[in-house]
């Protein structure tokens, strides 16, 4: 488990060699939106929860699109150009919302891409949100470009040029509206922060590396395409 969590550190080992080509007719299950500055242990635990739940319902583990493993880190500029294809080629967007997520410009841009190709209502259905910080979603609902940035100043410059082209205020309003809707969904108790079949787990407070065990029963629930995963609330 410790070795697996290491992969989620910014300067951790491995990279594209852990990925594989998508097979003919295959659709990636989750595009993973996350900040590399957030806790790798928490993110690894969250992925295990999502993967185990998915396996219980569909008889297989899900596929994930993760930037570090699916983009050549020597050609990051290409990632900006093809990001819409990568996001919209996946069934759902898995948002691991940790402490630094609202301050990472790339994270906001990934959410904006989803909103650019779907309605707000459809985006809410496609988003699976795991909050790793009790305050992160509140900050997302008050998103401000001036408080966000990228590790690489060249990346940030290119990204801000694109944001300026579509309108900074428009961009901020999209992210704030989405963040507020997710926050309202949690505090209103309608469905809460959505993660498939993971009852009562507070990833912000109760993470323990010893909890990280993974198993798949192999039972299959047919009709994956167009089928909604059962959702429950993550309580705090």
């Amino acid at each position: 488990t410790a070795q697996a969590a290491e992969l989620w550190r910014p300067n951790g080992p491995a990279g594209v060699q852990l990925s594989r080509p998508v097979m003919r007719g295959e659709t990636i299950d989750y595009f993973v939106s996350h900040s590399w500055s957030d806790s790798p242990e928490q993110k690894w635990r969250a992925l295990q929860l999502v993967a185990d739940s998915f396996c219980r319902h569909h008889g297989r583990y899900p596929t994930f699109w993760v930037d570090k493993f699916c983009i050549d880190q020597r050609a990051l500029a290409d990632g900006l150009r093809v990001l819409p294809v990568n996001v919209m080629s996946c069934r759902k967007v898995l948002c691991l919302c940790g402490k630094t997520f609202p301050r990472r410009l790339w994270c906001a841009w990934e959410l904006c891409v989803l909103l650019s190709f779907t309605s707000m209502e459809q985006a809410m259905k496609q988003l699976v949100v795991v909050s790793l910080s009790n305050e992160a979603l509140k900050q997302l609902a008050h998103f401000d470009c001036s408080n966000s940035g990228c590790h690489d100043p060249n990346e940030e410059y290119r990204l801000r040029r694109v944001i300026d082209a579509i309108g900074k205020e428009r961009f901020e309003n999209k992210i704030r509206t989405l963040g507020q809707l997710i926050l309202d969904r949690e505090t209103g108790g309608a469905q809460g922060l959505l993660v498939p079949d993971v009852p009562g787990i507070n990833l912000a407070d109760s993470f323990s590396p010893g909890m990280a065990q993974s198993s798949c029963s192999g039972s299959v629930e047919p009709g994956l395409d167009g089928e909604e995963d059962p959702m429950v609330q993550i309580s705090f």
Side-chain angles (χ1 to χ4, degrees):
T1 300
Q3 290 179 339
E6 278 296 313
L7 297 175
W8 288 84
R9 298 189 187 280
N11 299 317
V16 292
Q17 61 266 38
L18 292 179
S19 65
R20 63 166 176 81
V22 175
M23 296 182 289
R24 184 182 297 274
E26 180 184 16
T27 300
I28 300 170
D29 296 301
Y30 296 105
F31 177 97
V32 182
S33 181
H34 71 107
S35 167
W36 283 105
S37 297
D38 285 331
S39 165
E41 290 81 13
Q42 283 188 319
K43 288 187 291 185
W44 177 243
R45 173 61 176 156
L47 284 171
Q48 287 182 301
L49 292 172
V50 172
D52 285 347
S53 171
F54 186 99
C55 187
R56 284 193 296 272
H57 286 95
H58 303 301
R60 65 172 177 85
Y61 283 109
T63 49
F64 297 98
W65 191 100
V66 182
D67 48 3
K68 180 181 180 180
F69 310 124
C70 299
I71 292 179
D72 187 344
Q73 299 300 296
R74 298 166 297 180
L76 289 175
D78 295 338
L80 179 60
R81 288 193 288 269
V82 301
L83 184 63
V85 175
N86 293 328
V87 172
M88 301 311 297
S89 294
C90 300
R91 297 182 195 275
K92 292 182 180 289
V93 173
L94 175 60
C95 177
L96 306 181
C97 193
K99 291 181 179 179
T100 68
F101 186 94
R103 301 194 300 274
R104 306 312 304 167
L105 204 55
W106 260 111
C107 297
W109 180 246
E110 289 166 352
L111 296 178
C112 185
V113 166
L114 177 63
L115 292 172
S116 297
F117 289 89
T118 66
S119 65
M120 187 68 71
E121 180 181 3
Q122 183 59 35
M124 291 289 285
K125 292 179 180 179
Q126 285 187 239
L127 271 175
V128 176
V129 180
V130 180
S131 180
L132 308 179
S133 163
N134 292 339
E135 296 297 317
L137 286 180
K138 294 179 183 178
Q139 294 176 20
L140 196 63
H142 297 88
F143 176 78
D144 187 341
C145 269
S146 63
N147 295 328
S148 303
C150 301
H151 290 296
D152 185 337
N154 294 317
E155 274 187 56
E156 183 171 338
Y157 172 75
R158 286 191 291 266
L159 194 50
R160 288 193 183 278
R161 286 188 61 185
V162 177
I163 292 171
D164 288 342
I166 66 174
K168 177 176 174 287
E169 184 176 355
R170 181 184 177 193
F171 175 76
E172 289 178 332
N173 286 337
K174 280 176 177 264
I175 304 305
R176 289 169 184 167
T177 300
L178 182 64
Q180 188 63 55
L181 283 172
I182 298 172
L183 188 60
D184 289 346
R185 184 168 66 185
E186 202 284 3
T187 57
Q191 288 181 299
L193 302 179
L194 300 186
V195 80
D197 192 30
V198 184
I201 293 177
N202 180 356
L203 289 175
D205 298 327
S206 61
F207 172 78
S208 169
M211 295 169 61
Q213 301 295 328
S214 182
S215 63
C216 179
S217 65
S219 61
V220 178
E221 183 171 317
L224 179 61
D225 291 327
E227 178 183 291
E228 290 294 325
D229 287 334
M231 299 291 182
V232 298
Q233 183 175 352
I234 296 181
S235 60
F236 289 101

